[in-house]
Amino acid sequence: MATDAGGSAVIDKDGLDALVAVLAGRGRTVIGPIVRDGAIVLAELGSGADLPYGWGVELEAGTYRLRAREDGAAFAHSAGPQSWKTFLHPPRVREWSADRSADGDLVVTEETGTPPAYAFLGVRPCDLRAIAIQDRVLTGGRHADQGYRGRRERAFLVAVECTDPGATCFCVSMGTGPAAGPGFDLALTEVLDAGGHRFLVRAGSEEGESVLADLPRSPADPATREAAHERVAGAADRMGRSMPPVDLRTLMRETLTAGRWDDVAARCLTCGNCTMVCPTCFCTSTEDVTDLTGDHAERWRHWESCFDLDFSHLPGGSVRESPRSRYRQWATHKLGTWFDQFGSSGCVGCGRCIVWCPVGIDITEEAHALHQERESRAARPPGPESPA
Amino acid sequence: MNAEPRRRPRLAVWKFASCDGCQLTLLDCEDELLGLAEQVEIAHFLEASSASEPGPYDLSLVEGSVTTAQDVERIHHIRAVSRRLVTIGACATAGGVQALRNYADVAEFQAAVYARPDYVATLATSTPISAHVPVDFELRGCPIDRRQLLEVITAHLAGRRPAVPAHSVCFECKQRGTVCVTVAHGTPCLGPVTHAGCGAICPAYGRGCYGCFGPGDSTNFPAFVPLLRRDGMDTLDVVRVLRTFNTAAPEFDAASRKELDR
């Protein structure tokens, strides 16, 4: 369990309301889970009352359903249709605009302005890791994305540990949850028992401590600590999915010619949903637009996907023409070559790609199948035509 | 640098078998129409003005499908007098809803509908413009999207490729933050096999996409159709949803025929 050297306390529902109010009072736009259109989505919270009290979710591959809960829990749901990248790495961003001046010169105007100061309430441990992964991708190299950096540096993260994982969750396999890892300003664990509906709060930063000090709270008593610990430990035992217990990076490298890729390609719609709901998928493309006069131009950056034929279009055509090559690119990057590129897995086990795939393609099932295919190949005695 | 007086590119808008809705989309560009008229000479656009200037034209926007022998002659003439030819809408690009005749006996229709079928001279099929002449760009939709039409025209004026992606409608739903109606509600939706461009309007109002932009550039109907069935569609429903404005688009046509052969 993460340490709580930064201080801890217990708050109740009023304390949670106060948390939203305190964060808003500090000039932050508070984003958190709300019920909308039959799902728990991320949106601006007007108050703590907007939180999805009494709502849970039932997840399966390709299926998401809201379910009312009798216990009134606020955070007994797992990953929804969006992730925090919607806010930190938005779908469409204008990068610059240019105007032709009267003397024919080109005047380029960079996008400036103060980035929004977000507070994210309800960052799941898997998503906390996903944010850290996007930090590495978008700001950890030689060419940092300054827009992302601005939004990220100003963001205040309230993690909420998982006590009720979904059937598509596999954070334990990926080592990202259900307990919160580093990176939060505050971490909450929701406890509902005879002692009442309350939240164990731990501070992970100075600002977190200062926010916590502004909340109506009571000391973190041993019973609440113990209950919080048990609920998170219990969640770890109730993961709906798991990855094969092997080195996934090696598995991807050694199964590039597997027959399983044809199998999954036959099911894949190449619609791109998995990449857009993935909290770490970061690919973008740029598009230059002009107005009717041709005197004003803008460059926009928007989310792109390895499932889009146009994304790998080079002179001569698309490099990844077949659905097989596109799904394989996505999966092997996510689970394998991400290590080579960024030093970690690109998958955090949130299960969104499984839920929001219309045909329910399950990356854990594919990994298990690839593992089995490699095992059975290894068990077969090498024939005369086997590659060395 | 002295700017030489610039000849404005000449624009023509043509109508074939269609409802005029796509041409109206151009008139719907109310805020941009005056600006457009400054940049191009609108030489032929009968929906807007009966004054028609002869060709050649720099850009021809063609609405509607080819359904008569005269249409065939006319589209060849238009192609000959146009530097760029862009089809606008499902009729011009895929044959339109009137391509339902391709599955039926037109003589029978004529006899049932018209008092004097012998007055009607029509082809047995409704075909897209590209079946007759080379087309430089096809803009999808029934009707087309106003922003995309302006994008095609401004891209033409700037000599650049229009930013009109051919991927699925799902991209647009996810980018605008719409909750997937299939995954979360069990609503049949053609989004995964449909060409983007509308901005994913229907799912934003809780409805499934009905494919009015036609097939995207990467479809997998054998994997997709079972989803429609799971969410309550029977064979007739599947065939009906594929046989609307883009019924003759090759991918929709093949998928609907396959359903009927089951």
Side-chain angles (χ1 to χ4, degrees), chain A residues 145-170:
Chain A
D145 176 340
Q146 298 304 338
Y148 176 90
R149 175 171 279 164
R151 291 183 288 273
R152 176 68 182 91
E153 282 178 348
R154 291 165 67 88
F156 184 95
L157 306 185
V158 183
V160 176
E161 296 192 301
C162 277
T163 52
D164 212 333
T168 49
C169 288
F170 56 104

Side-chain angles (χ1 to χ4, degrees), chain A residues 222-266:
Chain A
T224 303
R225 281 177 190 278
E226 183 57 27
H229 176 74
E230 275 176 20
R231 289 169 71 86
V232 175
D237 294 335
R238 294 199 310 278
M239 284 291 120
R241 297 278 201 280
S242 68
M243 278 291 185
V246 296
D247 180 345
L248 294 172
R249 182 189 190 181
T250 312
L251 176 65
M252 291 299 119
R253 202 168 50 221
E254 293 178 354
T255 52
L256 290 173
T257 58
R260 183 69 184 187
W261 299 116
D262 291 322
D263 185 281
V264 67

Side-chain angles (χ1 to χ4, degrees), chain A residues 93-97 108-112 145 284-286 298-301:
Chain A
V93 177
R94 186 169 58 200
E95 299 207 302
W96 48 258
S97 45
V108 177
T109 313
E110 273 188 84
E111 285 302 303
T112 51
D145 176 340
T284 53
S285 190
T286 54
E298 296 183 351
R299 171 160 291 182
W300 286 79
R301 187 177 66 179

Side-chain angles (χ1 to χ4, degrees), chain A residues 4 8-10 200-201 218-222 224-225:
Chain A
D4 52 356
S8 58
V10 172
L200 177 68
V201 191
S218 54
D221 57 294
T224 303
R225 281 177 190 278

Side-chain angles (χ1 to χ4, degrees), chain A residues 287-370:
Chain A
E287 115 193 357
D288 294 338
V289 294
T290 43
D291 73 352
L292 280 166
T293 63
D295 293 333
H296 179 78
E298 296 183 351
R299 171 160 291 182
W300 286 79
R301 187 177 66 179
H302 56 83
W303 286 356
E304 248 295 5
S305 167
C306 43
F307 286 88
D308 188 344
L309 276 174
D310 207 38
F311 192 38
S312 71
H313 192 103
L314 296 176
S318 181
V319 172
R320 296 192 196 98
E321 191 80 34
S322 70
R324 178 186 194 272
S325 66
R326 281 177 271 158
Y327 184 85
R328 192 182 66 174
Q329 162 64 25
W330 179 69
T332 57
H333 186 216
K334 193 70 43 186
L335 300 175
T337 51
W338 204 290
F339 283 96
D340 308 322
Q341 206 177 357
F342 305 116
S344 77
S345 166
C347 176
V348 297
C350 71
R352 285 186 181 88
C353 59
I354 305 172
V355 174
W356 299 99
C357 172
V359 289
I361 291 172
D362 176 347
I363 193 170
T364 66
E365 188 188 330
E366 298 312 313
H368 279 285
L370 289 166

Side-chain angles (χ1 to χ4, degrees), chain A residues 24-40:
Chain A
R26 293 181 174 217
R28 295 185 172 281
T29 303
V30 186
I31 311 287
I34 64 160
V35 171
R36 196 197 73 203
D37 298 335
I40 295 176

